[in-house]
Amino acid sequence: MIKKAVLPVAGLGTRFLPATKASPKEMLPVVDKPLIQYAVEEAINAGIEEFIFITGKHKRAIEDHFDKAYELEERLKLAGKFNLIKKINSFDHLNIAFIRQKEPKGLGDAILHAKPFVQEEAFVVILSDDLIDPEYPALKDMIKIYENKRFSVIALEEVPWEEVSRYGIVSIRMVNGDCVVEDLVEKPDRSKAMSNLAIVGRYILTPSIFKYLENLTPGKGGEIQLTDALKMLLKEEPIYGYILKGKRYDAGEKLGYLKTIIEFALKDPEVSSDLLNFLKERVSTL
Ligand code: G1P
């Protein structure tokens, strides 16, 4: 059974400056929850019980967000706002560890920091920039594939060809209904991409990945790339692909983030109809 999730949250979030100058991009709100909370809730729904955050500078707000807020709870109690207390203390029971990645040396290096906590178990990696429609529980499905195959599973989605250089790109083949990864390359130029099938931010990794991460030299962008380690792992054991069913929102860049907020707000019963009216009215004046 997979019980541990690794959440790399050490990125600088430069695309959102100045909003991310002193507070982490993972705390940017989508309606009334920060991005990172969606990732944690998705993992809890998939049966994850332990969380390992790989953090960096200016990430204290993430620790505080998942910590008990005694003072706030007391105040809400006095004000009789019990529904809000429920909203802020739903993570009290979680086991969470925070590990500092001292230098931003890439996703692969961040994952390597989790080794002492993960040890010999398979584990989940969630990149909270990629928000996946909660109606289609990708992680749950991926864990089922892992339980059946006992090898790594990565989430995949077709992206427009002009965007392939923003992602890890794979080639796959179908074997008896299973999607088997044949090759991977991190952020290729469009002309060199073997497909437009991109890795999105959900992985189930076997612990064999660590020995490749330990010995990697920097790849694309001078960083230790998880995709490079997966390419090496592929020589030792199969890697399965999981094609996303639900919609994925790229909240890691400005336009994607704004679209994410609108989509999630349109599903929120508290604001959806008023927001829709506002949008219709606004569009009609263009
Ligand atoms: C990372 C991975 C990349 C993957 C992407 C998914 O890139 O390195 O292979 O396709 O996440 O969001 P990043 O977006 O951190 O640059």
Side-chain angles (χ1 to χ4, degrees):
M1 290 294 277
I2 297 195
K3 293 288 170 208
K4 292 181 181 166
V6 176
L7 292 97
V9 293
L12 295 176
T14 46
R15 287 183 189 138
F16 291 96
L17 280 170
T20 48
K21 185 179 169 196
S23 88
K25 68 169 176 177
E26 293 79 9
M27 289 303 292
L28 290 172
V30 172
V31 189
D32 55 3
K33 289 191 253 178
L35 273 171
I36 192 71
Q37 185 168 335
Y38 288 93
V40 168
E41 286 176 353
E42 184 188 341
I44 293 172
N45 287 336
I48 299 296
E49 292 169 354
E50 281 179 55
F51 292 82
I52 301 142
F53 285 86
I54 313 298
T55 73
K57 277 203 178 80
H58 306 310
K59 301 287 176 168
R60 280 292 299 278
I62 298 178
E63 294 186 33
D64 292 343
H65 185 70
F66 291 102
D67 200 0
K68 201 159 175 64
Y70 288 103
E71 222 180 276
L72 180 57
E73 274 189 36
E74 275 314 307
R75 282 181 188 213
L76 292 173
K77 233 182 252 169
L78 285 175
K81 295 185 172 166
F82 296 100
N83 57 331
L84 288 184
I85 297 179
K86 236 165 103 189
K87 279 191 179 178
I88 63 160
N89 68 9
S90 54
F91 302 107
D92 289 357
H93 63 289
L94 293 183
N95 281 322
I96 306 185
F98 295 92
I99 304 172
R100 269 281 180 120
Q101 184 188 20
K102 302 223 167 41
E103 285 172 71
K105 287 203 280 188
L107 178 59
D109 180 65
I111 307 294
L112 185 55
H113 278 67
K115 186 183 173 193
F117 292 81
V118 170
Q119 296 183 348
E120 292 304 308
E121 287 170 52
F123 59 101
V124 160
V125 173
I126 305 179
L127 308 184
S128 57
D129 281 359
D130 281 330
L131 211 73
I132 291 176
D133 186 343
E135 281 172 41
Y136 296 87
L139 262 188
K140 239 189 202 167
D141 284 357
M142 291 170 73
I143 289 176
K144 273 189 209 140
I145 299 177
Y146 170 79
E147 281 168 354
N148 191 9
K149 305 289 183 192
R150 301 270 148 190
F151 290 115
S152 298
V153 186
I154 58 180
L156 303 171
E157 184 188 57
E158 266 187 41
V159 296
W161 276 95
E162 56 275 17
E163 289 178 16
V164 291
S165 61
R166 284 175 40 196
Y167 294 93
I169 294 294
V170 304
S171 59
I172 56 159
R173 97 191 109 93
M174 296 305 290
V175 181
N176 303 325
D178 295 327
C179 171
V180 180
V181 174
E182 278 195 314
D183 200 4
L184 317 90
V185 58
E186 180 67 5
K187 302 190 176 117
D189 290 343
R190 181 181 171 162
S191 58
K192 290 193 189 122
M194 50 227 184
S195 79
N196 61 340
L197 204 50
I199 305 173
V200 296
R202 301 293 180 276
Y203 307 74
I204 293 178
L205 301 175
T206 61
S208 321
I209 196 72
F210 291 125
K211 62 176 178 285
Y212 297 109
L213 288 172
E214 270 161 354
N215 295 310
L216 268 187
T217 49
K220 195 86 190 180
E223 295 188 340
I224 304 291
Q225 297 291 354
L226 177 59
T227 307
D228 294 345
L230 286 166
K231 190 177 166 78
M232 295 167 89
L233 176 68
L234 203 51
K235 291 188 186 134
E236 179 185 329
E237 54 182 54
I239 297 176
Y240 289 88
Y242 169 78
I243 314 273
L244 278 193
K245 295 199 178 83
K247 220 170 161 184
R248 174 188 64 105
Y249 303 96
D250 180 4
E253 51 96 24
K254 239 189 258 185
L255 181 60
Y257 173 65
L258 294 172
K259 288 181 186 170
T260 311
I261 293 180
I262 292 172
E263 289 273 17
F264 277 69
L266 286 174
K267 286 183 190 169
D268 182 329
E270 214 180 300
V271 294
S272 63
S273 69
D274 286 349
L275 176 66
L276 191 60
N277 288 339
F278 165 77
L279 290 173
K280 280 184 189 158
E281 230 178 272
R282 184 67 190 84
V283 169
S284 73
T285 63
L286 293 179

